[in-house]
């Protein structure tokens, strides 16, 4: 069964390899450089943003495996709070579920 949960620092660190793999796939699909130092920098930014509360990361999990995640920020647009999606990635196998 797939479970959805908020990703905190502990979960993000436990699933670092999944997160960096998925970030690499997103960057590659969008034609953005996908070097190891880019992935490490983006992952470290994610950790910092979770820590300071400026990012919301929600993950999809099946057992101990992270199947995907969405990384959002709350932004202000015309005096309304809205979610801005920074990254969204789901394992290909689970995209239609």
């Amino acid at each position: 069964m797939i479970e959805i949960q908020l990703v905190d620092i502990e979960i993000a660190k436990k699933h670092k390899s999944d997160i960096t793999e998925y970030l690499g796939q997103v960057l590659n699909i969008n034609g953005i450089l996908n070097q190891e130092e880019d992935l490490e920098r983006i992952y470290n930014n994610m950790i910092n943003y979770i820590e300071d509360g400026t990012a919301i990361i929600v993950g999809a999990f099946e057992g101990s495996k992270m199947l995907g995640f969405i990384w959002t920020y709350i932004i202000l647009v015309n005096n309304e709070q809205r979610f801005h999606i920074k990254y969204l990635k789901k394992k290909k196998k689970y995209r239609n579920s």
Side-chain angles (χ1 to χ4, degrees):
M1 171 177 255
I2 296 173
E3 293 184 34
I4 306 299
Q5 73 181 85
L6 193 61
V7 174
D8 60 17
I9 297 288
E10 182 180 328
I11 294 170
K13 288 182 177 180
K14 179 179 177 184
H15 293 280
K16 179 180 180 178
S17 63
D18 293 327
I19 291 169
T20 54
E21 175 188 343
Y22 298 152
L23 285 170
Q25 291 171 10
V26 169
L27 295 175
N28 194 24
I29 288 167
N30 289 294
I32 300 168
L33 288 177
N34 180 1
Q35 297 177 0
E36 191 65 35
E37 58 267 15
D38 293 330
L39 298 177
E40 190 68 24
R41 178 183 47 78
I42 294 168
Y43 171 80
N44 287 331
N45 286 342
M46 174 189 274
I47 295 297
N48 291 333
Y49 298 146
I50 291 170
E51 207 165 49
D52 72 14
T54 58
I56 301 164
I57 317 296
V58 177
F61 300 88
E62 187 170 61
S64 63
K65 182 70 177 161
M66 177 183 258
L67 307 177
F69 69 90
I70 185 168
W71 177 348
T72 66
Y73 298 99
I74 296 176
I75 61 172
L76 192 62
V77 176
N78 297 324
N79 292 323
E80 293 180 356
Q81 284 189 334
R82 299 185 184 179
F83 287 103
H84 168 76
I85 298 172
K86 177 78 172 169
Y87 295 103
L88 170 65
K89 179 64 177 143
K90 188 176 180 185
K91 262 183 114 88
K92 194 172 193 173
K93 174 181 171 183
Y94 295 93
R95 288 189 188 156
N96 292 325
S97 59

